Amino acid sequence: MRSRLARSVVVLGSALAAAATLVPADAGASSVSSAAAGTSPISPTGLGTGYWHTRGQQILDSRSRPVRIAGINWYGFETPDEVAHGLWSQDYRTIINDIRKLGYNTIRIPFSNQMVEHPIVPQSVGTYGPSGPINSDLKDLNSLQILDKIIAYAGQDGLKVILDDHRSEAGESAEQNGLWYTATYTSQDWVRDWTMLARRYAGDPTVIGFDLRNEPHTPAGDSYAQGATWGTGNPATDIRLGYEKAGDAILAADPGALIFCEGISENPGPSGADNTTWWGGDLALAGRYPVTLSSPGHVVYSAHDYGPSLFPQTWFSAATTPASLAATWNRNWGYLYTRRIAPVWVGEFGTGNTAADVDTSAPGSQGQWFRSLVSYLAGHRWMGWTYWALNGEDPYNLLGSNYGAEPASAAKEALLATLQFPLAGAAQDHAPKAPAVAPVPAVAPSQSLRGVAARTPASSSAPAPAGSAPASCRVAWSVTNSWPGGFQARLVLTDTGSAALGWWSLTWTFPGAQRISSIWNATATQSGHRVTAGNASYDATIAPGGSVTIGLIGVGIARGAAPATFAVGGRSCS
C-alpha cells in the first residue's frame, strides 16, 4: 500500500450483520458460517501440506483439498532498508510466532528488484534489547540471506509465504510508471530475477507462489495506452503478456509454484471514458483475456481494495449501499471467482484502528467499507486474502509500534479472525521470546501524528552522547509519490561536517497547508506549518559523510510542498 493513488473505484458497502442477505454463499459449498456468526472454518488434520495448485475457483493442497489464504502483509524488504521492518525492536522469530498465534496462515513479503540484484547488509536490524540479544543469527547477513532465514522459520511454524515483486528500485509504494519494469531494471531483468528466486526456493513448499508485480496502473495524467494495459497485445504495456512470460520462466524452475497476477487500475469503457479503480484492482478484462501458462492449475488472480480514508472517492457517499459495493466488486474481480474461472485473492486491504475505521456503519464511511469487505469475503468461502499490514509504523497497522504481540485494535483483529483458516503443522514456539521493549514515548502535544515515533528499536550499542550541530549539513527533499489530496516524500539528511552529529533535530516549515500524517526513521511534531523531526533511537548519530533517510506521508498538495530551508540544531542546511 504505502500511499497509493486510487483513481476511481468501488462504491462502499454494508454492515456486517447484513452480509448474508447481500453476498450469496458459494454454490456447491458445504455450510459456511458468515462473519456475523463469529466463526471460522476448522481445518482437518494435515490440511495445507505440500505444494498448492488450482482448480476452478479453488486453491487445493497437495492432496487436492481446498485451502484458503488468510494472511498478513509484512513489508520492508522493498524499501531502502531492504529488510522486514520491526526487527529493530523484536526478534524475527518472535514476530513470526505472533503471526501464527494471531491466526494467520500466510505472509506476503514485498521486495524490490534492486534488493534481489544488489542486496545490502541492512542497518536497521537490532541485535540487543533491554533484556538480552535478539536477531543474533542475522548479524552480517545481507537482505537475501535474511529473507532465507525468515522463510525457513515461517515454514517451521507452519506458515506459508508469498513473495511480492513490489517495485523495481528500492523505495516506497508501487513503481511510479505503473509498469513491471523501468529503464534501470528492464523487463528481461524482471524475468531473470523471478527465475533466480524460483530456483532459490524450488523444492520448498513454504513458498507457495509468487505475486508477479504489485499494483500495475496508469499514472495520473497518462492515457490508458501509456500505463499498464490488459489484453491489448502491446508487449511494452500489456501486463498479461508479462505475466505469461515470467510465469512460464518460474514454472520451468519451480514447477509447483502458484502464479499470482494482480489487476491494473483502469480499462477503456464503451463510451470512450475509462472505467477506473484502485491500483491493482481492475481484473474486468481477465475473463476475456486470461493469463495462460504452459502448465494449467497455477494462476491465481489478485485484487487490491481500500476505503475512503486512503482517498475520498466520489462514490463514497451517503448513497453507498451494500448492494452497490458487492456489484462493483463482482464486476471488477469477483466474477472470476463466482463464475469458477479462477481463484481470487485480495492481496491488500486495510483500515485504521479507531472506532470510525472499524465499527462505524454509516454509509460511505471507512468502517462501513471495512466491515462490508469482511462480510463479502465471509460469503465467498475460498476467496483468499492478506491484510495490509502487520507493520507497527503503518497507518493501517495490525501490531503496535513496538511490534509486540498485542494487536493495535482488538475489534479489527476480531473481525479478521472470523475469516481465518488454520493450516496443519503449526509448531510450538521454537525459540525463546525476545525481551519486551520499553513503551514508545508520547508524541509532543502540538500535534499527534499517526505513525510518528513508530520505531523504538533495540540498539546494538549504547546511545551516542548528545552532540553539537555539524559544521555543515545538507538535506535533499523529493516527492516520491502523489495523489489528489496527499503525497509521499523522502528527506535525506547528510552530515557534511567533520564531526559526528548526535541526537539531531531537523526543523523545517511547510510553505502551505501541508501536514504530516505519518513518518518513519524519525519522530516528529508539527505546530502549524513548522515541523520538528528528531532522531529515532537507532539513528541517533550521523557520522561525518553519513546520512539518514526519512520518509513521510503528507496531507495536502504535493506541488510547492518543498520547504525553502532546513536547519539542524538551529543551523541552516544546504
Side-chain angles (χ1 to χ4, degrees):
M1 192 267 285
R2 301 302 291 275
S3 73
R4 65 192 34 78
L5 165 65
R7 292 200 52 185
S8 126
V9 76
V10 292
V11 188
L12 290 189
S14 75
L16 188 60
T21 62
L22 299 169
V23 184
D26 297 329
S30 57
S31 60
V32 55
S33 301
S34 71
T39 60
S40 58
I42 302 301
S43 296
T45 302
L47 186 62
T49 57
Y51 276 105
W52 295 359
H53 59 284
T54 71
R55 185 175 63 209
Q57 67 184 183
Q58 294 179 334
I59 299 174
L60 308 175
D61 70 5
S62 60
R63 296 170 63 182
S64 293
R65 297 169 300 184
V67 290
R68 183 185 211 179
I69 296 168
I72 192 79
N73 285 270
W74 183 15
Y75 64 77
F77 279 104
E78 83 285 9
T79 73
D81 297 326
E82 292 194 19
V83 73
H85 285 176
L87 303 189
W88 47 72
S89 60
Q90 296 285 358
D91 189 276
Y92 73 97
R93 289 160 294 198
T94 298
I95 295 176
I96 293 170
N97 287 340
D98 290 340
I99 291 172
R100 174 182 56 80
K101 291 175 182 177
L102 288 169
Y104 301 94
N105 66 23
T106 303
I107 308 172
R108 179 179 181 250
I109 301 179
F111 66 88
S112 72
N113 293 90
Q114 179 176 329
M115 187 277 285
V116 172
E117 297 187 21
H118 308 288
I120 64 173
V121 175
Q123 300 302 301
S124 57
V125 178
T127 58
Y128 205 85
S131 302
I134 61 172
N135 299 314
S136 56
D137 59 333
L138 304 186
K139 182 175 175 59
D140 297 327
L141 298 186
N142 69 29
S143 300
L144 276 174
Q145 293 167 330
I146 294 175
L147 179 61
D148 291 342
K149 289 276 192 178
I150 288 174
I151 289 172
Y153 192 81
Q156 292 177 45
D157 238 7
L159 302 178
K160 299 295 186 178
V161 169
I162 298 170
L163 295 180
D164 153 47
D165 183 43
H166 214 68
R167 52 181 295 114
S168 299
E169 291 80 10
E172 318 291 345
S173 190
E175 193 64 49
Q176 285 187 289
N177 69 5
L179 301 173
W180 61 97
Y181 61 90
T182 64
T184 304
Y185 296 93
T186 66
S187 183
Q188 291 77 16
D189 295 331
W190 176 68
V191 174
R192 185 166 53 248
D193 291 345
W194 269 129
T195 303
M196 185 278 284
L197 288 172
R199 289 173 179 160
R200 190 179 188 97
Y201 300 113
D204 182 0
T206 298
V207 182
I208 56 170
F210 306 99
D211 187 348
L212 297 188
R213 189 61 165 185
N214 178 65
E215 297 183 347
H217 64 275
T218 299
D222 287 357
S223 68
Y224 169 69
Q226 293 174 296
T229 63
W230 194 289
T232 59
N234 182 349
T237 63
D238 191 342
I239 187 67
R240 176 184 61 97
L241 298 180
Y243 288 156
E244 291 176 347
K245 188 171 184 178
D248 283 341
I250 288 170
L251 293 178
D254 189 0
L258 294 176
I259 305 299
F260 296 93
C261 303
E262 296 190 27
I264 54 178
S265 63
E266 61 184 61
N267 68 80
S271 63
D274 291 340
N275 298 314
T276 58
T277 183
W278 302 99
W279 291 359
D282 185 349
L283 287 160
L285 297 176
R288 188 187 310 173
Y289 305 106
V291 174
T292 304
L293 301 179
S294 57
S295 173
H298 297 277
V299 173
V300 178
Y301 291 107
S302 175
H304 291 186
D305 201 83
Y306 285 92
S309 70
L310 183 61
F311 185 73
Q313 305 283 18
T314 56
W315 41 86
F316 300 144
S317 70
T320 297
T321 67
S324 62
L325 170 60
T328 306
W329 281 337
N330 286 335
R331 182 174 63 251
N332 284 337
W333 39 267
Y335 76 96
L336 293 165
Y337 178 94
T338 57
R339 296 180 191 175
R340 300 175 181 267
I341 296 172
V344 171
W345 164 54
V346 182
E348 288 187 20
F349 68 104
T351 193
N353 295 308
T354 69
D357 296 323
V358 179
D359 295 328
T360 302
S361 59
S365 67
Q366 179 73 9
Q368 183 203 37
W369 165 82
F370 181 69
R371 296 175 72 89
S372 298
L373 183 53
V374 169
S375 299
Y376 184 86
L377 291 170
H380 295 75
R381 184 180 187 181
W382 305 114
M383 190 175 284
W385 57 274
T386 44
Y387 179 83
W388 185 281
L390 178 79
N391 297 54
E393 74 275 15
D394 195 84
Y396 298 155
N397 56 310
L398 183 79
L399 298 183
S401 58
N402 283 329
Y403 283 74
E406 190 73 21
S409 167
K412 181 168 69 178
E413 171 63 16
L415 282 174
L416 293 172
T418 66
L419 303 175
Q420 289 173 346
F421 190 87
L423 299 176
Q428 299 301 314
D429 295 341
H430 321 287
K433 285 197 160 208
V437 295
V440 179
V443 177
S446 53
Q447 182 179 353
S448 177
L449 306 178
R450 183 188 301 273
V452 171
R455 299 180 177 182
T456 303
S459 174
S460 58
S461 60
S468 58
S472 60
C473 55
R474 181 175 65 248
V475 175
W477 163 282
S478 60
V479 174
T480 58
N481 199 0
S482 64
W483 55 95
F487 62 94
Q488 184 168 319
R490 179 184 300 153
L491 299 85
V492 180
L493 169 62
T494 302
D495 181 354
T496 57
S498 58
L501 172 62
W503 296 100
W504 49 269
S505 178
L506 175 67
T507 59
W508 71 85
T509 301
F510 281 124
Q514 297 85 5
R515 59 181 177 84
I516 298 175
S517 62
S518 64
I519 194 168
W520 50 98
N521 290 350
T523 62
T525 59
Q526 181 169 353
S527 180
H529 300 293
R530 183 176 175 81
V531 177
T532 301
N535 61 270
S537 59
Y538 59 88
D539 57 14
T541 300
I542 307 175
S547 63
V548 169
T549 299
I550 303 168
L552 64 85
I553 303 297
V555 177
I557 300 173
R559 179 175 296 177
T565 60
F566 294 89
V568 171
R571 183 169 301 188
S572 295
C573 298
S574 59

